[in-house]
Amino acid sequence: MKVTVDEDKCIGAGQCAFTAPHVFDQRDEDGVVILLAEIPSAADEPAARDAATLCPAGVIKILDGDVENR
């Protein structure tokens, strides 16, 4: 599993950092997502998937092998 984010489209809602704090954080100045773990641990994978689903701007993408998921 690999996680990507599009910082330019992030609206700073914070659902990612709340849902998967080992994978995502937010910049202090504007709340934009910071990707802490491009390849999350197996334990953090479910939370990273939940964060991608909850992201209101759809900026988090999950790549499983060659398949991209939101």
Side-chain angles (χ1 to χ4, degrees):
M1 168 191 216
K2 181 178 177 181
V3 180
T4 64
V5 297
D6 185 342
E7 293 178 7
D8 294 331
K9 294 181 181 174
C10 178
I11 62 170
Q15 293 301 312
C16 57
F18 179 75
T19 304
H22 294 114
V23 182
F24 305 100
D25 199 356
Q26 292 180 278
R27 294 192 306 222
D28 289 335
E29 62 273 11
D30 58 8
V32 169
V33 63
I34 299 170
L35 183 59
L36 300 176
E38 184 177 351
I39 301 174
S41 70
D44 289 326
E45 284 185 11
R49 289 181 194 283
D50 288 346
T53 300
L54 292 171
C55 179
V59 304
I60 301 169
K61 303 297 181 201
I62 304 294
L63 185 64
D64 289 309
D66 293 331
V67 179
E68 184 177 299
N69 302 299
R70 172 166 190 238

